Amino acid sequence: GAGVSQSPSNKVTEKGKDVELRCDPISGHTALYWYRQSLGQGLEFLIYFQGNSAPDKSGLPSDRFSAERTGGSVSTLTIQRTQQEDSAVYLCASSLARSDGYTFGSGTRLTVV
Amino acid sequence: AQSVTQPDIHITVSEGASLELRCNYSYGATPYLFWYVQSPGQGLQLLLKYFSGDTLVQGIKGFEAEFKRSQSSFNLRKPSVHWSDAAEYFCAVGETDSWGKLQFGAGTQVVVTP
């Protein structure tokens, strides 16, 4: 596609429920990144994919968080047993080359009530 | 470990005035350097980038940035701001020898007054 697409754009969920956030990167971009942006905070790295493998998942906050990428394309970030502190905007980005920087999606705003 | 510091959390500037946003980084070699802008409710848009060559780089929307190795800085400038430049600006640093993550600064919120 023309840009990085994330869905849903907004998600309200009850505490304790599981959620799935989807990212569809730019076609051909081999690198894919997930970040989290909490209110008034900077960007917190979560996980990085190169193709379907995740060389760096050091930013995942707990074992409730997991992510996968299939076909070197779409990625899903799953949060199990959501907590209120998981409320944030989850941003996905993709990249073709190191020197290009990232192209970001518009994000998914997750609210846990 | 690499780090990125944006010393100014919030800047207020008058429309038509010049703007400079500061960014300092800590890294053992010359990294890739980026500036991104985030308008309210939007994702991040790349303004400009530096990875080698001319230390003064031009970006979109009339922005430029200068890489100063001796000061480990990559400051963003615009000669004359427009009301539409009100946004949050993020400096980011990446390693040149790996695909690893970009490290982002905490951001600078820019408010433009009439």
Side-chain angles (χ1 to χ4, degrees):
Chain A
V4 178
S5 178
Q6 292 188 246
S7 61
S9 55
N10 280 285
K11 177 72 175 179
V12 180
T13 189
E14 293 181 350
K15 178 181 173 181
K17 296 288 178 88
D18 298 351
V19 295
E20 285 189 352
L21 312 180
R22 176 188 169 103
C23 173
D24 199 344
I26 292 174
S27 178
H29 280 197
T30 58
L32 185 148
Y33 305 82
W34 284 97
Y35 282 77
R36 179 168 72 173
Q37 187 176 29
S38 302
L39 188 63
Q41 301 298 311
L43 276 76
E44 176 189 5
F45 168 78
L46 297 178
I47 188 169
Y48 149 60
F49 286 94
Q50 183 65 246
N52 291 337
S53 63
D56 188 352
K57 54 180 77 171
S58 62
L60 294 178
S62 73
D63 59 7
R64 296 187 296 106
F65 287 72
S66 63
E68 66 174 9
R69 189 179 185 193
T70 56
S73 180
V74 173
S75 176
T76 302
L77 177 69
T78 301
I79 309 173
Q80 296 179 311
R81 304 180 303 282
T82 52
Q83 304 294 313
Q84 288 187 330
E85 62 262 29
D86 299 334
S87 296
V89 175
Y90 289 81
L91 292 166
C92 176
S94 68
S95 180
L96 180 61
R98 291 194 300 260
S99 59
D100 287 348
Y102 299 167
T103 301
F104 279 90
S106 297
T108 294
R109 181 175 299 278
L110 176 66
T111 304
V112 182
V113 297
Chain B
Q2 58 184 278
S3 66
V4 185
T5 302
Q6 293 182 246
D8 304 304
I9 297 173
H10 187 275
I11 286 180
T12 298
V13 60
S14 299
E15 191 168 14
S18 64
L19 174 68
E20 182 168 13
L21 304 181
R22 295 182 290 164
C23 174
N24 294 97
Y25 66 91
S26 174
Y27 187 62
T30 301
Y32 292 134
L33 297 159
F34 306 88
W35 275 99
Y36 286 85
V37 60
Q38 186 177 36
S39 299
Q42 303 297 312
L44 280 79
Q45 181 182 22
L46 179 65
L47 282 176
L48 47 75
K49 60 187 178 183
Y50 173 82
F51 50 93
S52 67
D54 193 345
T55 56
L56 184 63
V57 294
Q58 303 297 320
I60 62 171
K61 305 185 179 187
F63 284 91
E64 66 178 24
E66 185 171 13
F67 168 61
K68 292 186 177 179
R69 184 190 305 274
S70 62
Q71 299 177 19
S72 295
S73 69
F74 189 56
N75 294 349
L76 181 71
R77 298 192 293 255
K78 185 169 185 177
S80 177
V81 299
H82 187 263
W83 63 266
S84 61
D85 294 322
E88 188 152 24
Y89 292 79
F90 293 92
C91 180
V93 175
E95 297 178 355
T96 54
D97 58 354
S98 78
W99 274 97
K101 60 184 179 288
L102 292 185
Q103 183 79 35
F104 284 83
T108 298
Q109 185 71 45
V110 173
V111 173
V112 180
T113 59

